[in-house]
Amino acid sequence: MLEVELELSGWKTSEETLVRDSEVAELLGFPAELLDTSLDQLRTLAVVHATGSAQRAARVLQRSQSSVQKQLDTLNDAAIRLMGEALVAKQGRGKDFLFTSSGDEVVALATSTLRAWTERVHGARRRVGSTITVGTTEFTVEFLGEVWPQLRDTFERRGIQLKIEHVRTRDLKTKLDAEQVDLVCGSFAAERGRGPDVPHDFLEWHRERVSLLTNLSTREVPDRPVTRDALADLPLLAPTAGLLADFLTRWYGPEYRGKLHVVADIDALNYGLNLLSSKLMFGCLLTTERVADAAIEGRLPGANLRKIQLGTGYEPELEIVTGIFARAGERQRYAADHPLNLLWDAFAAAAPAGRDAQHEVTGS
């Protein structure tokens, strides 16, 4: 391609230089009102939009109401000069603020901008390996505790920040897919002898089956395995979501609550254990074998409860598979000494020996 050369103040300017000059001119041409708008002001506007008023936004942001109102006034003044319309207006005492159409558009743009910046920052941190975030449940945090001592010195010497996030089992996949965590230590339902049906890299830690905990008498629930049909007639403290809800869904269908005798909805395990041990409720709680053993041994709430195995008729035959999960193929994009790979390798070395199915599964 022929170069177009111009003589400008003694400088020869090629097409490439002209493009750069055009880009610089565009950057220098942005309105001052726009350049004076900060990301913090945009966040405040979005929080006011979500909460309805400066007073409620101030409580959420832990600021004074006057400081929030000052930011809104500044944004309104800038918007009037730029667009000829304010973004937000008061409607009267006790009423939510009124956002104009321009205000709604700016809030949407502010939210997407803040989200995009955050995602890019997290992405850059992951790429250079300065921060790594591990999500664990209440019952899998011990896995991280087992491998951390051998990595602590390396991480501290290289200035790598390890962040630990408490994640509910029901949110593990969502958090991982949304790149809010880099690794998760968690559990999924899987058919017996198979890996979990998730599109992630997976390192198995252990497997276990589920069982029942009950405060019912042996006359009401004998000490023998409970079949699928028998479980449907027992008073059940049923999970509202998560791993054990997945078991019930796969055994009885999505409308399992209509097929089972549900006496209480349980959002947290300890809540269900306390209901049974306090005898505020009488029934059965589906849980993992490890949790059932811990409750009976007094390591978890659960005084005077009995553990009962599940019997026949449950199809498919499911197990709880617990292990380490990472986004498929991500580890291969990094060097061997990247923190993600250091953690993965440490988990692999510490994985309990002697399992029936000690393996690593790569997602596709």
Side-chain angles (χ1 to χ4, degrees):
M1 182 171 60
L2 295 176
E3 287 191 335
V4 178
E5 295 187 349
L6 300 175
E7 191 73 27
L8 295 175
S9 303
W11 291 90
K12 287 187 176 181
T13 306
S14 65
E15 283 186 352
E16 181 180 348
T17 304
L18 285 173
V19 170
R20 287 200 301 269
D21 288 346
S22 176
E23 291 175 351
V24 170
E26 181 184 15
L27 292 172
L28 295 177
F30 290 135
E33 293 85 356
L34 181 62
L35 297 176
D36 290 338
T37 300
S38 70
L39 293 178
D40 183 60
Q41 290 173 331
L42 293 177
R43 185 185 69 158
T44 296
L45 182 69
V47 172
V48 171
H49 188 273
T51 60
S53 73
Q55 183 181 32
R56 289 191 288 270
R59 286 200 298 267
V60 171
L61 294 168
Q62 297 184 338
R63 296 178 179 175
S64 67
Q65 183 177 345
S66 61
S67 68
V68 171
Q69 188 60 56
K70 183 178 180 180
Q71 286 188 315
L72 294 179
D73 293 341
T74 300
L75 288 171
N76 272 339
D77 291 342
I80 290 172
R81 290 195 296 270
L82 285 169
M83 299 177 287
E85 181 180 43
L87 303 179
V88 60
K90 296 179 181 179
Q91 292 197 92
R93 187 176 181 85
K95 294 184 178 180
D96 284 356
F97 280 16
L98 174 66
F99 276 74
T100 64
S101 57
S102 295
D104 288 334
E105 290 180 5
V106 172
V107 167
L109 180 60
T111 303
S112 63
T113 299
L114 290 166
R115 184 179 295 118
W117 266 96
T118 301
E119 290 174 353
R120 292 296 179 89
V121 168
H122 288 336
R125 286 189 167 210
R126 283 194 301 274
R127 186 176 63 256
V128 301
S130 61
T131 300
I132 187 164
T133 303
V134 180
T136 73
T137 68
E138 180 180 356
F139 300 105
T140 61
V141 68
E142 63 189 60
F143 301 170
L144 183 58
E146 188 170 338
V147 304
W148 175 237
Q150 62 183 289
L151 295 172
R152 181 186 289 112
D153 289 346
T154 299
F155 275 45
E156 290 179 353
R157 184 176 66 254
R158 292 172 52 184
I160 301 168
Q161 181 184 8
L162 174 68
K163 298 178 66 176
I164 306 169
E165 183 171 341
H166 179 202
V167 181
R168 300 287 293 274
T169 298
R170 69 189 66 174
D171 300 323
L172 289 175
K173 185 177 183 298
T174 301
K175 292 274 189 180
L176 191 59
D177 291 344
E179 299 187 353
Q180 296 176 4
V181 295
D182 302 302
L183 285 175
V184 293
C185 307
S187 305
F188 288 88
E191 294 189 25
R192 189 172 186 183
R194 298 178 58 181
D197 186 19
V198 291
H200 302 118
D201 290 353
F202 168 59
L203 177 66
E204 185 175 315
W205 200 269
H206 73 81
R207 291 173 176 261
E208 61 182 312
R209 303 185 71 177
V210 297
S211 57
L212 290 176
L213 278 173
T214 185
N215 60 358
L216 297 173
S217 68
T218 55
R219 180 181 59 82
E220 295 167 296
V221 184
D223 284 324
R224 59 172 179 262
V226 176
T227 65
R228 178 185 181 277
D229 291 339
L231 180 61
D233 294 327
L234 293 177
L236 187 67
L237 284 68
T240 55
L243 178 62
L244 296 173
D246 188 22
F247 273 69
L248 294 176
T249 298
R250 295 173 71 175
W251 285 338
Y252 297 96
E255 305 300 326
Y256 64 84
R257 276 182 168 75
K259 301 175 182 178
L260 301 174
H261 180 199
V262 177
V263 295
D265 289 324
I266 303 302
D267 186 54
L269 171 66
N270 281 348
Y271 181 62
L273 293 174
N274 281 315
L275 282 177
L276 291 179
S277 60
S278 64
K279 297 187 177 180
L280 289 172
M281 299 289 300
F282 287 89
C284 302
L285 179 66
L286 190 69
T287 186
T288 70
E289 289 190 325
R290 286 203 308 159
V291 167
D293 291 338
I296 291 172
E297 294 165 5
R299 291 182 283 119
L300 285 173
N304 301 316
L305 300 182
R306 290 185 298 125
K307 172 186 173 183
I308 302 177
Q309 302 288 349
L310 296 185
T312 60
Y314 297 94
E315 294 293 339
E317 191 174 359
L318 299 175
E319 296 176 311
I320 295 173
V321 180
T322 301
I324 317 303
F325 298 81
R327 284 178 289 277
E330 184 169 20
R331 294 180 296 114
Q332 287 72 29
R333 297 199 296 269
Y334 299 138
D337 63 349
H338 189 280
L340 181 63
N341 284 317
L342 292 179
L343 265 172
W344 186 273
D345 292 342
F347 278 123
R355 297 174 302 185
D356 293 333
Q358 184 172 355
H359 63 282
E360 179 179 330
V361 177
T362 300
S364 57

